[in-house]
Structure formats: C-alpha cells, structure tokens
Amino acid sequence: MDRVVLLIISVLPLGLGLVVYRRTPDRVWNKLYAVHAVAVSIWIFVNYMIQSADSVAAAEFWVRFAHIPAAVVISMCIDFAWAFPERIDFAPRPRRVVLYTVGLLFSMVGFSPDLYSSIELIRGTVIVHFGWPYVAFGAFTVFGLVGADLILLRKRTELTGLQRMQVDYVLLGWLATQGLAILTMVLLPVMWKNSDFMRWGSASYVFVILAMAYAVGVERILDLRVVARRSFAYLLVAAMGAWVVLFLLALANRLLGIEVPMDFALLCLVTGIGVGILVVPLHRSASTAMERTFSSEEHLQLLYDRNCAAILRTLDTDGLLELSADSIFDMLRSTSVSVFVRAEATGNYVYRAGRLAEGQQSAPDDGPTLSKDHIVVQGVAETPDIVIRDDVFRFRSLQQAKPLAEAMSSLDCEMIAPLRWEDELVGFICIGPKLSGEMYQPEEIKLLHSMMPLISLALRNANLYAEMVGMKEYSEAILREMESGVIVVDADERIFLYNSAAERIIGLKRLEVLGKGLEILPPGIAQCLRQAVEHGEVRTGDRLALRRSGQEPVSVACSTSALTSAPGQGGGAVAVINDLTVIEQLEHERQEAERLGLIRVLTAGMAHEIRNPLVAIRTFAELLPTRLDDEEFCSTFQATATEEIERIDQLVGQLLMLSKPASAVAEAIDVNNVCQAVVRSASAQAESRQVTLSAQPGDISQQPTGDEGRLHQAVVNLVNNALEAEPQGGRVEVITEEVPDVGGNGRVLIRIYNSSSHIPSEKVDEIFKPFYTEKAQGTGLGLAICQTIIEEHGGTISVRSEPGQGTEFIVELPVQTSGRLVKVKA
C-alpha cells in the first residue's frame, strides 16, 4: 500500500508542473516551478524504487541515486526564492552558478563509500543505516531550506498586496513540509541510523508543490484568513461525521458479537449528537467573530450600496467624478484613486479627479494626461475586465507585461478599472495599493467590477445633462439675442416661450404674456397661431400691420408652424415675427435707386438716339438759306428730314410702350391663336430671308389671362429677332405647350427657337437691358419691352443658347383657375 501511494504521489508534481508552466511559459517562476516539480517527482519516484527493491544491490543503487534529485530540489528552492514573486528574470548568473555547483558537490555524497554502514531488507522494507557523509548532506538540506525561508521572509516584509499573499502560501507549504522532511529524512536517520521514515519525508513534499502551484498559477488567490474560516467549518463537520461513524462502527461490532464497551458507544453517540447540534451555531459564531476580526465584508457591502445610490443621483460631472474617487477610496481603503476621462477633442485621457491617503505625495491640480496610444490606455482598452498589476506580471506575455507593469508602477497603480459605454473606453480609474499592504480580496474586486457600469452610466447621464443644459443656455442666448420675435404655445394655446425680440416688436412684456392665452396677443398673430395649433397650417411670411398704442402701425412678417409630439397629434405651435420696417425702408431705397438708374440709362439712350436725327436735320437746315434754289438739295432735305422724324417718332413710341402702365384688361388669351397669327404675319419676312418659319401649337386646356394685344407684341418682337439672327436656310419654330405646376395649377410655355444663332453666356443678362443692341439699325428696346410685357402677365422669360445647337427664348405664363384673373402690375 505504501508503494502505491508513493507511486501516485510521484506523478502528481509532474502534472502540476506541466499545467503551471503552460499557463505562462515565458515567466521565470513558471520555468523554475516546472523543473522543480519534475525534480520532486523524480525524487519521490526514486523513493518508490527504493521501497520496491527486491535486493540489497538494487536498494543501494537507488539510495545513492536519490541524493542527486534531492540536491536539485534543495538548490531550486533557493533559486525559486531569489526570483519569486517580483522578478521576471533569473537571479544573477554568478550566484546561480555557485548555487548549483554547491548542490552538485553535495549530491556527490551519494557516491561516498561511507554513506551507509549497512542496508537491510526487513519484511519488504528497506532499512538503511547511514554514516557520517549523510550528516553533511543533512546540514546542506537544513541550511538550504532555511536559507530559502529566510529569503522569502525578508521579501515578505518588503512586498505588499497579492505578492505578499503569494509568499505567505509558499512559506506555509515550505515550513510545514520542510519540518516533516527534516524530521523524517535528516533527524531520524541521523539519530536512529536508518531510513525507515525517509519515504514519507519525500512524499510530504507534495504539499510544497501544491502550495507553490496555487501561488504561481491561480489567478484569484484566497486570503489565508478566509481559508482559516472555511477550514474551521470543515473541521467541525468532519468531527461530527467522525463521531457518528465511530458510533455506527461500535454498534455494528456489538451486533456482530465483538466486545465493545457500552460506555464508549454511548460516548460516541452523545458526542456526535452534541457536535451535530452545536455545529451550526458554533460555525456561525466563529465566522462572525472572524469576520469582525479579519474581514469587513458586511461593511464593504453597506459602503457599496450607499455609494452606488449617491453616484446614480449625481448629475454634475465634476461632482460625480470626485464622488466616485471618494467612494472607491473609502470602500477599498487604498493609498490613492485617480479618475481619467477621455477628452472628446483629442481622444486623450485627462486626469479629472482623485483622492490620496494622508502622507501620500499629492498630484498636481491638473494631473497627468495619457495619450490614446499610451501603453496603460492600450492595456485597459483591450480587455473588459479590471487590469491588476500582479495579474499582468504573472499571466500576460513577457513582451506586454514588463512595460505595462512598469507604467502602472509609475502611476502608483495596483488596479485599473475601465469605464465603458457601448464598448468604448470613456475613461478609467487607477487604484493604488491598499493602505494595509494586503492584497485586494476577490469580493472587493467583484464589487469594484460591479460598480464600474454604474459609474459609466452615471457619467453618461451627467454628460447628457451637461449637454442638455448647455444646449438650453445656448438656445436661450440665441432667442435672447436674435432680432426675430419667437412665440411658442402649447396644445391648449397657452404661451410658454416669448423672447425679448417679441417684447420689442409687439410691445407686451414677457411676464404679462407667459402662461396666458392667445387673446392677449394682437389679433393677426393670434389667428395665425390658432390656425397652426388647430389645423397644423404652415404659413410663411404673412404681412401684418401691428398697431401699438400711441405709435404708428408697424409692418411685420409672421411665419407659423405646428409642433407635433407624435404624428397626427397637435403639440402646439411656434410663430416667428420679423419687423419689416427696416426691410421696407431698404426696399424703398433699392427701388428708388433702380428707378434713378433706369432714368439715367433711358436719358442717355434717348439723347443718343434723338441726337443723331437732329444733327442730320440741323445740317440741312443750316445749308438751306444758301441752297434754297437747288431743287435736288431741297428734295433730299425733305426726304432726310421726314425719315429722321419718323425714327424719332418710332423711338418715342417704343419708349411709351416700355413705360406704358398695364391696362386693366384681364381676359383669357388663346396662346395658340396669338402664335399662329404672328407666324402668318411674319411669313413674308421669313420667305424673303429664305428662312423656314413654322408654328407647333400644343394641347392647352387652360389659358393664361391678360392683355392679348400686348402679348402679341412681345411674341412679334421675339420672332422678328429670331428671323434677323438666322442665316439663309435656317429654321425658326414657335412652339406652345402646357406643363403642370407644383401647386396643382399649370403653366403655358411659348418657345421661340432658331437653329443657327448663339448668344454667349456672359451676354445673356445684358440683352434685356434698355438700349443694349449689336444691330446697326436697332434701338435695343425690343427685348426690354418683351420682358416688361411678360412680367405684367405674371410670367418669366429666359434664354437657352448652346454653340452649334441654336438659341431658344422660353416664355412661361401662369394659368389661373376658378375664374380668377391675373392681377396685372401697374
């Protein structure tokens, strides 16, 4: 049975070594642990072979060989103590060379002739009587293990947090197992001069392997005090079970005829029942006492609940960040807490709040700023979990771990808790080591992890609230500074927004109006708002005359629109009111300037056009007294004077047509008849110029209204211009058509197209100006007259001209329905 146990125990370190090594194979502690576990496995297996030897010669071989793995195990304990847990590289090379050289020399003890005085096989057990060399090996073992313990004890006083707890677990396993190993493998063999208990010394070393594996490879290490509490509970339950089992065994033996004292059975029964009754209250009392002594879980939960409620109620961003820092500081009792938040403009993370324990060096008021490419930011961004420096040091790849751990140390940061919103890192909280130097407990990390989404949510709410307040202030500033009056009413036609411009335009104070009905407003504005609320009407630029007491009427433009909270549901209305006093004044000044400019153009053009005929008449009149008897001169003078007077008369007629007020005629105009009549009258001119002239009347169901004679004159001017611009063999077309309009009415188009002429784009705007012409005999008034006539009818005239594609003048005339006639401009 002993041999089977040894064989099983020899395999366990090998498996643990492989598992721990594969966790982070680039760590020096994992490498040392794996080799150490292999050496321990070989050592225990050698002890199994010693006990399984069937001859003295075999036992002798394995006894001597056992000193080699034993020396390796002792040397690696010291090497492990040098590196664990704060180093990520091996101890200095010269020191390690000396260590393993000394271990190799002491392993040679196994080959000393005086190692043992005799070896015996007694009832299948190998008994070795050691000599003096084994005393030297024992001294090496004792001093080596004690030295490793002292190294870790010294480190324990310097380390804090998780690293100290790791050392505690290793020390606990070492001290317990080393005591058994020294007792069974050194003291007893030296004193009794035999190896009867040596196999259990090597086997007990498996507890060291388990403690080291837990300290090196487990991510969340339990506090030893928690282990103590749980162990106490398990021992209570085990004691109860043991007494019950003993009673059952005694009872069974009694029934089977085996003499068992009755008082012993009753004692087991009473003890088992008593332990069973007392186990729950005893466990509760012991746990409560230990909680009060060693832990503060209940206090921690109370702080967590209170702080979370306060955080969720805070809407001020700066206050929220300060409260979060204080809450985490009080809950975890850390040396420092720093809150970093992402700046939207740069994407960097700026220090916004913090808390330091007394005696800690205070950070500057503005705090550090970490760029978005900083290694700490990158390390936090790539994982949703809390980043713990010791875990980084233990489990991340060496390439990442070293710079990240150093950066966290430079920030005095033991943990970094990310603040995320919709998978984006909006900030993080750096938490320093605990004031007590202990590690953060799993329940503390769990509560911190639960708190981060709440802080992220509260931060999001605070930012939205700040944005909303900023937008409200910005909107109020706009409404306060804008020149337009703004009035907003709700669905009950109660005024709840009324800016200062509305006060100035309407003449009613804000306090007089807010909360009142529409009847307090001027009738025109009230009616527009009422129509918007009741019918959802959108009105733009309605001109109203506001009469304020003791003042002249003010012309305003009122635009209204309905406000809807949901489709089809009235939510109120808004009115925007503009004072048109300045605009009308500017419009009047603009019209006056245009009128004066037109007068100047007409005056200059008339002077030029009339002066030329008068010069000719004056010249003949000056020569007339001297050549009165010259019949030919007199005949020429008569003809020239008549022609020039006709030119002046024609010019005056055109000017009268240009400036003639539109008549009040408002009758339906048959556009097709007008165009066909113009084509018939101009057909002779087209034939003489050898130009094809045609009319293409369209299907027109609705006719424009106005003065047919004046529209006829406009079309005549356009057709004549097209014929004069077209060369021989050219083509002129007059096309009419009806097209739909956006408002449901129609428009009639008259297109005058000639195929060969071209008007440069820079001259398109000039051709409609009075007296602009490129003809030798033209006055430059024809197109100006056309434009005037078309605009009198509410229409427009435009030009499209492309090289090689001809020129087209397009006249657009609106169509009136329901018997309404066009209001022709005077």
Side-chain angles (χ1 to χ4, degrees):
M1 184 65 181
D2 294 349
R3 298 172 186 176
V4 175
V5 172
L6 285 175
L7 183 61
I8 295 174
I9 293 176
S10 67
V11 177
L12 181 61
L14 192 64
L16 287 175
L18 180 63
V19 171
V20 173
Y21 173 75
R22 288 176 61 85
R23 184 71 188 271
T24 44
D26 57 355
R27 287 297 186 279
V28 60
W29 335 299
N30 295 61
K31 296 176 181 178
L32 290 172
Y33 175 82
V35 177
H36 183 260
V38 171
V40 170
S41 184
I42 294 173
W43 185 27
I44 298 174
F45 181 76
V46 169
N47 278 273
Y48 163 77
M49 294 302 297
I50 291 173
Q51 297 303 318
S52 302
D54 55 0
S55 65
V56 172
E60 178 185 359
F61 171 79
W62 289 113
V63 167
R64 292 184 180 279
F65 182 78
H67 290 75
I68 297 177
V72 172
V73 168
I74 303 305
S75 301
M76 296 208 72
C77 283
I78 299 174
D79 198 3
F80 183 84
W82 282 341
F84 184 78
E86 80 285 5
R87 296 178 64 93
I88 59 175
D89 52 0
F90 290 101
R93 184 179 180 85
R95 187 192 303 177
R96 300 182 72 232
V97 170
V98 172
L99 171 66
Y100 287 104
T101 301
V102 172
L104 179 63
L105 291 176
F106 274 98
S107 69
M108 294 297 102
V109 168
F111 300 97
S112 171
D114 299 325
L115 177 65
Y116 59 89
S117 58
S118 64
I119 298 179
E120 299 176 318
L121 292 176
I122 301 175
R123 294 186 302 274
T125 301
V126 178
I127 304 298
V128 181
H129 299 276
F130 288 102
W132 67 265
Y134 191 78
V135 176
F137 187 82
F140 164 73
T141 301
V142 172
F143 284 109
L145 295 178
V146 171
D149 295 338
L150 292 176
I151 292 172
L152 287 184
L153 285 171
R154 179 181 57 81
K155 285 187 175 183
R156 188 185 183 281
T157 62
E158 301 171 354
L159 297 174
T160 60
L162 178 64
Q163 291 183 342
R164 178 190 290 181
M165 188 57 62
Q166 290 178 281
V167 171
D168 288 344
Y169 270 99
V170 174
L171 278 174
L172 180 64
W174 280 12
L175 293 175
T177 304
Q178 287 169 9
L180 290 173
I182 291 174
L183 177 65
T184 58
M185 303 183 67
V186 177
L187 298 180
L188 293 180
V190 169
M191 291 187 299
W192 295 350
K193 305 299 183 182
N194 65 62
S195 61
D196 194 24
F197 296 98
M198 285 183 62
R199 61 184 182 276
W200 299 117
S202 61
S204 68
Y205 209 82
V206 73
F207 296 111
V208 172
I209 294 298
L210 290 172
M212 292 173 65
Y214 187 77
V216 174
V218 176
E219 185 171 354
R220 292 286 177 263
I221 296 177
L222 291 177
D223 195 310
L224 281 173
R225 292 167 296 189
V226 177
V227 175
R229 293 198 303 271
R230 295 182 179 179
S231 299
F232 180 76
Y234 296 151
L235 287 174
L236 286 176
V237 175
M240 178 191 71
W243 283 108
V244 172
V245 170
L246 285 174
F247 171 75
L248 293 176
L249 288 175
L251 184 62
N253 290 336
R254 181 74 174 176
L255 294 175
L256 293 175
I258 302 175
E259 292 292 336
V260 177
M262 193 64 186
D263 55 349
F264 176 75
L266 292 175
L267 177 65
C268 291
L269 177 61
V270 172
T271 305
I273 294 173
V275 172
I277 294 173
L278 297 177
V279 65
V280 175
L282 284 174
H283 174 256
R284 184 181 296 113
S285 301
S287 298
T288 302
M290 290 188 177
E291 288 286 344
R292 292 173 180 173
T293 305
F294 300 117
S295 180
S296 57
E297 293 182 13
E298 183 177 356
H299 177 67
L300 188 67
Q301 186 66 44
L302 289 175
L303 281 177
Y304 172 81
D305 295 338
R306 184 187 67 188
N307 292 334
C308 287
I311 286 171
L312 290 175
R313 289 195 303 266
T314 305
L315 291 177
D316 175 62
T317 303
D318 293 332
L320 169 67
L321 298 177
E322 290 288 349
L323 177 60
S324 300
D326 292 343
S327 300
I328 294 174
F329 181 86
D330 295 336
M331 188 174 71
L332 301 182
R333 299 173 184 173
S334 56
T335 57
S336 63
V337 175
S338 302
V339 183
F340 292 81
V341 177
R342 184 180 64 190
E344 295 298 333
T346 61
N348 297 331
Y349 291 81
V350 182
Y351 172 86
R352 293 286 299 275
R355 176 81 180 273
L356 291 172
E358 294 183 4
Q360 299 292 318
Q361 182 179 0
S362 60
D365 292 338
D366 54 353
T369 297
L370 304 182
S371 69
K372 56 187 176 182
D373 299 323
H374 194 278
I375 186 170
V376 169
V377 177
Q378 295 295 323
V380 176
E382 67 185 18
T383 176
D385 298 323
I386 295 174
V387 179
I388 303 174
R389 182 174 60 182
D390 290 328
D391 289 349
V392 169
F393 204 69
R394 295 164 65 205
F395 300 121
R396 294 206 181 188
S397 66
L398 193 61
Q399 184 179 3
Q400 291 181 335
K402 188 172 182 179
L404 180 55
E406 290 176 353
M408 292 177 69
S409 298
S410 67
L411 295 173
D412 193 26
C413 178
E414 184 69 23
M415 296 190 297
I416 303 179
L419 296 172
R420 294 183 177 276
W421 184 257
E422 294 182 348
D423 295 330
E424 289 188 11
L425 185 69
V426 298
F428 52 86
I429 300 177
C430 293
I431 303 161
K434 296 196 77 169
L435 275 171
S436 62
E438 301 173 353
M439 74 172 189
Y440 287 103
Q441 300 301 318
E443 60 269 15
E444 294 175 324
I445 298 174
K446 182 179 179 181
L447 289 179
L448 179 63
H449 192 275
S450 301
M451 183 180 280
M452 289 303 101
L454 298 179
I455 297 177
S456 301
L457 174 61
L459 180 60
R460 177 65 173 172
N461 290 340
N463 288 335
L464 290 176
Y465 178 76
E467 292 178 8
M468 182 180 67
V469 171
M471 292 177 62
K472 182 175 181 294
E473 293 176 350
Y474 183 67
S475 301
E476 289 177 349
I478 292 176
L479 290 172
R480 186 170 56 252
E481 299 298 330
M482 68 188 302
E483 294 295 328
S484 299
V486 178
I487 304 174
V488 181
V489 298
D490 57 20
D492 296 327
E493 299 182 359
R494 296 289 177 182
I495 301 170
F496 68 87
L497 194 150
Y498 186 85
N499 70 345
S500 55
E503 288 185 359
R504 185 181 64 255
I505 295 172
I506 297 177
L508 296 174
K509 295 298 182 182
R510 187 168 180 268
L511 295 179
E512 300 174 5
V513 171
L514 289 180
K516 304 294 180 57
L518 292 178
E519 61 274 3
I520 197 171
L521 297 176
I525 297 175
Q527 180 63 23
C528 291
L529 281 169
R530 187 171 290 110
Q531 292 294 326
V533 172
E534 295 178 355
H535 306 294
E537 289 187 7
V538 177
R539 304 172 70 93
T540 304
D542 287 348
R543 293 204 172 208
L544 305 173
L546 297 184
R547 298 185 179 275
R548 297 181 295 195
S549 60
Q551 298 183 15
E552 293 292 328
V554 177
S555 179
V556 299
C558 179
S559 300
T560 56
S561 177
L563 300 176
T564 56
S565 56
Q569 298 180 5
V574 58
V576 179
I577 305 165
N578 294 293
D579 190 342
L580 299 181
T581 303
V582 176
I583 296 176
E584 289 182 346
Q585 182 179 355
L586 293 175
E587 180 68 19
H588 176 73
E589 293 176 357
R590 184 188 66 81
Q591 292 176 355
E592 184 66 18
E594 289 182 353
R595 187 181 67 82
L596 293 175
L598 182 59
I599 290 175
R600 293 190 189 97
V601 172
L602 290 175
T603 302
M606 289 175 62
H608 176 74
E609 294 296 332
I610 294 176
R611 180 179 294 171
N612 290 336
L614 291 178
V615 167
I617 295 174
R618 179 179 179 180
T619 301
F620 276 103
E622 288 176 350
L623 294 175
L624 184 60
T626 60
R627 303 181 63 178
L628 188 59
D629 297 332
D630 189 344
E631 294 182 0
E632 183 179 356
F633 174 80
C634 291
S635 176
T636 301
F637 172 72
Q638 181 181 3
T640 300
T642 303
E643 290 176 359
E644 297 302 329
I645 291 172
E646 288 179 355
R647 284 184 59 191
I648 294 173
D649 183 65
Q650 182 182 5
L651 176 62
V652 172
Q654 290 180 340
L655 288 173
L656 289 174
M657 181 174 290
L658 182 65
S659 60
K660 178 183 177 182
S663 64
V665 176
E667 59 186 7
I669 303 174
D670 191 335
V671 175
N672 286 336
N673 287 342
V674 170
C675 293
Q676 290 173 344
V678 171
V679 169
R680 284 194 299 271
S681 62
S683 59
Q685 180 184 356
E687 185 176 353
S688 65
R689 290 179 172 273
Q690 298 183 6
V691 174
T692 301
L693 175 63
S694 63
Q696 298 180 18
D699 185 11
I700 299 176
S701 60
Q702 301 180 86
Q703 301 291 353
T705 57
D707 190 335
E708 185 173 327
R710 288 178 67 80
L711 182 61
H712 182 277
Q713 181 62 48
V715 177
V716 166
N717 289 348
L718 293 173
V719 171
N720 287 338
N721 287 344
L723 291 173
E724 292 174 0
E726 196 69 11
Q728 291 184 359
R731 184 177 83 256
V732 175
E733 297 176 354
V734 181
I735 306 168
T736 60
E737 61 178 320
E738 183 179 359
V739 295
D741 201 352
V742 178
N745 299 326
R747 290 177 298 152
V748 173
L749 303 186
I750 303 174
R751 303 178 185 272
I752 294 89
Y753 169 78
N754 58 302
S755 59
S756 302
S757 66
H758 170 61
I759 300 175
S761 57
E762 64 272 10
K763 294 183 178 180
V764 169
D765 293 333
E766 301 292 328
I767 59 177
F768 292 102
K769 293 181 178 179
F771 297 107
Y772 178 85
T773 183
E774 293 183 354
K775 300 178 185 177
Q777 301 298 324
T779 61
L781 294 176
L783 288 179
I785 292 171
C786 289
Q787 187 179 43
T788 300
I789 294 173
I790 300 303
E791 290 180 352
E792 288 173 358
H793 289 74
T796 60
I797 183 170
S798 59
V799 182
R800 288 193 303 196
S801 184
E802 296 291 339
Q805 297 183 10
T807 300
E808 185 177 42
F809 281 80
I810 305 170
V811 176
E812 296 188 25
L813 298 173
V815 174
Q816 301 298 314
T817 60
S818 303
R820 296 174 59 188
L821 300 179
V822 172
K823 181 181 178 182
V824 183
K825 294 193 302 181

